[in-house]
Amino acid sequence: MVPAGRNAADRPGSEHPNLSYRFWAAIILVMACSLALGLTLIASYHNDLDASRDDLSKLQAFRLALDAANRLTAERGPANSVLGEEPSLDSPSRQRLIAFRTETDAALERISATAQLKPSLDALVQTLASARQQVDALARRPLSGRSNAEIEQAVETMFGVFDAAQPMLSMVMTGLLAGETDLVGHAMVARMLSELREYAGRLGSHLVIPMASGLQIDLDRRGAFELSRGRVLALWELAGQQTGASDDARVAAAHQAVVERFFGDGMALLERTLKAGQSGEFGVTPTSFTHLIVPTFAPLEQLRDAYLDVTVEHLQMERNVALRSLIAVVAATCLALIIELALLVASQNLLFRPLLRARSQVLALADGAVQEPIDGRGMRGEMRSLFLALDTLRHRLIERNTLDSERAALTERLRKRADTDGLTGVLNRGALERLVAHLHDGTAAPTAIGLILLDIDYFKDVNDRFGHAAGDTILKEAAQRLRLALRRDDVIARFGGEEFAILLMDPHVESPVDVAERLRTILQASPFTLETGESVEVTASLGVARAENQDGGWPALVTAADRALYVAKAAGRNRVEEDRETS
């Protein structure tokens, strides 16, 4: 049975599944939170890695486009030389032009392999092909057969090739605008350096046009020269501030080389040639001038390349940092999950399960289940101490239960002794009256009760004739016969002396008079044998009464049965009489 105050759910082990579910739910919740946090960080670093890769890809595409544009600019130098000399298929200028065109074609081919640049390539290739055809057609004619206007148009056409490359650069720049702001700034500086190289080359081209024709520099050409020089100085004012502030040694060295070689030697050569060309006596040929001026442009290209190298390296470093961070976060997340799982499993094995076992043992001890020993094997530290303490408690409960059992047995013996007649073994009068006092309690109480008072006839004569020991023998034997003759629910008690009281729990099933008659007959049926071997005939007079089972009705029922017993004795004994008032 479950002790009062505790329901079935409190029995040992009845909540183990629920507690286990809660424990594992807590584990899953903790791991889910860790995983969610880890995934958030992983997603963040993965986005950073993707952004770095995307920026690097865009910058590399921009560099390809910028390189192609600068190859177009560089190709104009040998083209100017070819336009300023007699036709020759194997001249150094012609061979240089072929080599430069090959490099230009290779740069454009690299662009064609880049999906985002290929769409803008077709128009550029057509413009380049047209410009090359015009240069080649003019170069095949004798130098004397080339007019200044034709040379100017051919050079201007080569200018247009670079201009045709600008939409491609603008498209790449637009793609960079969607990325990191710093990256756009670096790209703009690189583009300004590329344009600086272009307009520096145009300064030389403005001088080569009249130089190839042997004419003096006119006002229009001088104006074009000054316009290009102003553009060069403006571009350098903007780009030079950025490159001059760089802390990278390569950029700083290239910046200084531009200042010394181009703005020092190159611009000085251009100024001298411009001054000499005002009279038409340049003192140099287009080829020799090109050989002198082009090397001063090299620092501009080197500065642009160094600046882009630093930018690419910075992006590669950011990509590598993002990649390492992503790997570290993934590893940390996995390690955290493994550690959490290990700790939680260890907690379950070392703490949670032992506590559940301890709980079961405590509930079992509370229910009085002390038969099974408490097993603390495999426990360590505080858990082992806990199970040892529970085992000690179990032994103390066993000792207490033993004492309680002995005390209960003693109490039961004393109660029985207090309720039982010491001679006959049936209830005594006090026990019977205490029983009757509670007969009306509960829903199963009988609706009516019957009472038989039985008095052994001439019992005093038996004592006088055979002695009190014989009387005791007759009383014990009479109680035994009467008990065997009664129904299971009927109660017999010694009412006093030689008088017995029989309480009938359900007088409607069998008439109390019939029961009394059966008892009278049983006592008379055979003689009582004494310890001396003598036999004694015993009869009894019986008074019967019945009444409704109600509180306070017992004294009246006893009075009625006693009144009937008196009538039986007065009528000659050995008979049954029923009280007429209660029948």
Side-chain angles (χ1 to χ4, degrees):
M1 295 179 62
V2 181
R6 289 171 51 199
N7 55 37
D10 294 320
R11 291 173 179 162
S14 63
E15 290 185 359
H16 285 194
N18 290 336
L19 291 175
S20 296
Y21 295 152
R22 293 173 187 170
F23 181 81
W24 282 106
I27 290 178
I28 294 172
L29 179 60
V30 170
M31 295 187 69
C33 291
S34 299
L35 183 60
L37 178 60
L39 290 177
T40 300
L41 294 175
I42 289 171
S44 176
Y45 283 107
H46 188 272
N47 291 337
D48 291 345
L49 179 61
D50 283 346
S52 298
R53 287 173 173 170
D54 186 57
D55 289 343
L56 185 59
S57 175
K58 291 177 179 178
L59 184 61
Q60 288 170 339
F62 173 75
R63 188 168 193 174
L64 287 175
L66 203 61
D67 183 63
N70 281 275
R71 295 320 309 164
L72 296 172
T73 298
E75 184 180 323
R76 196 168 57 243
N80 291 342
S81 297
V82 169
L83 291 175
E85 64 183 20
E86 294 293 343
S88 175
L89 295 178
D90 55 356
S91 69
S93 296
R94 168 59 67 176
Q95 296 302 318
R96 288 184 68 246
L97 179 58
I98 293 174
F100 273 63
R101 285 179 174 180
T102 300
E103 293 179 2
T104 301
D105 292 340
L108 294 175
E109 182 65 26
R110 288 191 292 271
I111 293 177
S112 66
T114 305
Q116 62 190 103
L117 299 180
K118 189 174 182 180
S120 60
L121 187 61
D122 293 339
L124 175 61
V125 170
Q126 292 176 4
T127 302
L128 177 61
S130 177
R132 284 176 175 177
Q133 289 174 1
Q134 190 169 350
V135 170
D136 291 343
L138 189 59
R140 284 194 293 269
R141 292 159 55 183
L143 185 60
S144 60
R146 306 169 194 167
S147 68
N148 185 63
E150 290 174 327
I151 295 175
E152 182 178 359
Q153 184 180 3
V155 172
E156 293 287 348
T157 301
M158 291 300 296
F159 289 166
V161 174
F162 180 83
D163 294 337
Q166 298 312 299
M168 177 176 62
L169 290 172
S170 298
M171 184 192 69
V172 180
M173 288 289 291
T174 301
L176 290 173
L177 285 173
E180 188 178 347
T181 305
D182 290 344
L183 180 60
V184 177
H186 290 306
M188 291 181 67
V189 171
R191 186 171 182 179
M192 284 189 290
L193 291 173
S194 176
E195 291 182 1
L196 180 60
R197 169 64 180 87
E198 164 65 18
Y199 283 96
R202 290 191 184 191
L203 287 175
S205 296
H206 288 311
L207 298 178
V208 166
I209 293 171
M211 189 184 301
S213 302
L215 301 175
Q216 66 180 20
I217 300 175
D218 58 18
L219 291 177
D220 290 339
R221 187 55 49 194
R222 176 66 182 265
F225 180 90
E226 294 299 336
L227 185 62
S228 295
R229 180 163 57 178
R231 186 68 180 270
V232 166
L233 295 176
L235 288 170
W236 179 245
E237 179 69 19
L238 295 173
Q241 291 180 3
Q242 298 298 320
T243 58
S246 175
D247 56 0
D248 186 86
R250 292 166 296 177
V251 175
H255 177 90
Q256 187 61 31
V258 169
V259 173
E260 295 175 357
R261 294 282 289 127
F262 174 69
F263 285 100
D265 300 340
M267 290 299 289
L269 176 60
L270 290 169
E271 290 291 342
R272 289 196 304 270
T273 305
L274 175 65
K275 184 175 181 180
Q278 291 176 356
S279 62
E281 297 295 333
F282 288 94
V284 291
T285 65
T287 300
S288 60
F289 175 73
T290 300
H291 286 316
L292 290 173
I293 194 62
V294 166
T296 67
F297 299 155
L300 294 172
E301 297 176 356
Q302 293 166 0
L303 177 59
R304 182 203 68 222
D305 291 340
Y307 190 79
L308 280 175
D309 286 341
V310 172
T311 304
V312 169
E313 290 173 3
H314 176 72
L315 283 179
Q316 289 175 336
M317 182 179 66
E318 288 185 349
R319 181 197 61 187
N320 293 336
V321 169
L323 179 60
R324 287 194 297 269
S325 299
L326 177 61
I327 294 173
V329 169
V330 171
T333 300
C334 293
L335 182 60
L337 291 175
I338 292 172
I339 292 174
E340 287 176 0
L341 183 60
L343 288 175
L344 292 171
V345 170
S347 297
Q348 185 188 36
N349 293 333
L350 299 179
L351 180 63
F352 186 70
R353 285 180 178 173
L355 286 177
L356 284 180
R357 286 177 56 189
R359 175 184 178 279
S360 297
Q361 296 291 347
V362 169
L363 292 177
L365 293 177
D367 280 343
V370 296
Q371 296 81 8
E372 294 295 329
I374 296 177
D375 185 8
R377 290 177 299 177
M379 302 295 174
R380 288 178 289 184
E382 295 179 351
M383 285 296 120
R384 181 172 178 81
S385 300
L386 175 60
F387 275 78
L388 289 175
L390 288 175
D391 193 52
T392 301
L393 177 61
R394 170 180 166 271
H395 284 293
R396 290 181 180 177
L397 287 175
I398 291 174
E399 294 174 358
R400 193 191 72 178
N401 289 345
T402 301
L403 292 176
D404 289 346
S405 297
E406 293 176 354
R407 187 180 297 110
L410 177 61
T411 301
E412 181 64 19
R413 288 195 299 270
L414 292 175
R415 186 189 64 77
K416 286 185 177 180
R417 184 173 298 177
D419 291 346
T420 305
D421 178 60
L423 176 64
T424 60
V426 299
L427 295 180
N428 56 34
R429 182 169 181 168
L432 178 63
E433 290 179 345
R434 286 192 293 276
L435 173 64
V436 171
H438 297 286
L439 276 182
H440 62 280
D441 298 340
T443 57
T447 57
I449 56 175
L451 177 63
I452 301 173
L453 289 181
L454 182 149
D455 188 82
I456 297 176
D457 295 333
Y458 305 110
F459 186 74
K460 183 176 181 302
D461 292 343
V462 173
N463 282 333
D464 291 342
R465 180 180 176 186
F466 298 102
H468 288 283
D472 291 343
T473 299
I474 290 174
L475 288 175
K476 289 189 286 185
E477 176 67 19
Q480 180 66 17
R481 292 187 184 186
L482 294 173
R483 185 163 24 191
L484 294 175
L486 291 175
R487 298 169 300 181
R488 181 174 60 85
D489 293 335
D490 295 336
V491 179
I492 181 172
R494 186 179 177 189
F495 217 53
E498 67 276 17
E499 189 175 0
F500 292 89
I502 296 90
L503 180 64
L504 305 178
M505 294 299 185
D506 192 354
H508 300 297
V509 175
E510 184 178 5
S511 169
V513 174
D514 294 339
V515 175
E517 187 62 37
R518 185 170 68 250
L519 297 178
R520 186 192 69 79
T521 302
I522 287 174
L523 291 178
Q524 188 183 13
S526 59
F528 286 61
T529 302
L530 303 178
E531 292 181 357
T532 60
E534 297 175 275
S535 296
V536 177
E537 298 285 343
V538 174
T539 61
S541 299
L542 297 91
V544 178
R546 73 178 77 187
E548 296 297 322
N549 181 24
Q550 56 186 359
D551 189 19
W554 173 250
L557 183 62
V558 172
T559 299
D562 190 60
R563 188 165 51 241
L565 176 61
Y566 178 80
V567 172
K569 287 182 177 182
R573 292 186 171 84
N574 192 21
R575 60 189 299 119
V576 174
E577 292 292 341
E578 182 177 14
D579 183 65
R580 301 304 178 184
E581 296 182 13
T582 60
S583 60

